[in-house]
C-alpha cells in the first residue's frame, strides 16, 4: 500500500519535471525562431532595425512568460 503511494508520488514528480522541461524546450525553440527571423528581416531592411528589435524583445518576453506559467503549473500539479 505504501509503496503504491510512493510510486504514484514519484510518477507525479516525473511528470512535472517532463512538463517543465517541455515548456523550456518550447520557449527555446520559439525564441530561436524569433531571433532568426528578426535577423533575416534586419538584413533585408536595415532601416527598420529599431522597430524590429523592439517587437522581437516583446515577443520573446511573452514566450518566456508562457514558459514560466507552464513550469509553475507543472510543479503545482505535484502538490
Amino acid at each position: 500500500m505504501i509503496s503504491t503511494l510512493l510510486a504514484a508520488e514519484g510518477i507525479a514528480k516525473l511528470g512535472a519535471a517532463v512538463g517543465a522541461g517541455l515548456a523550456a524546450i518550447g520557449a527555446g525553440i520559439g525564441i530561436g525562431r524569433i531571433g532568426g527571423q528578426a535577423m533575416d528581416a534586419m538584413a533585408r531592411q536595415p532601416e527598420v532595425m529599431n522597430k524590429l528589435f523592439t517587437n522581437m524583445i516583446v515577443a520573446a518576453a511573452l514566450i518566456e512568460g508562457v514558459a514560466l506559467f507552464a513550469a509553475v503549473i507543472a510543479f503545482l500539479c505535484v502538490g
Side-chain angles (χ1 to χ4, degrees), residues 35-57:
Q37 295 295 323
M39 291 299 136
D40 288 342
M42 287 178 201
R44 282 189 215 118
Q45 295 180 335
E47 64 273 5
V48 295
M49 187 165 81
N50 289 333
K51 185 172 177 145
L52 283 171
F53 184 74
T54 302
N55 289 336
M56 181 183 71
I57 294 297

Side-chain angles (χ1 to χ4, degrees), residues 23-41 56 59-61 63-64:
I25 289 170
I29 290 170
I31 291 173
R33 286 186 52 94
I34 287 173
Q37 295 295 323
M39 291 299 136
D40 288 342
M56 181 183 71
I63 290 174
E64 284 290 327

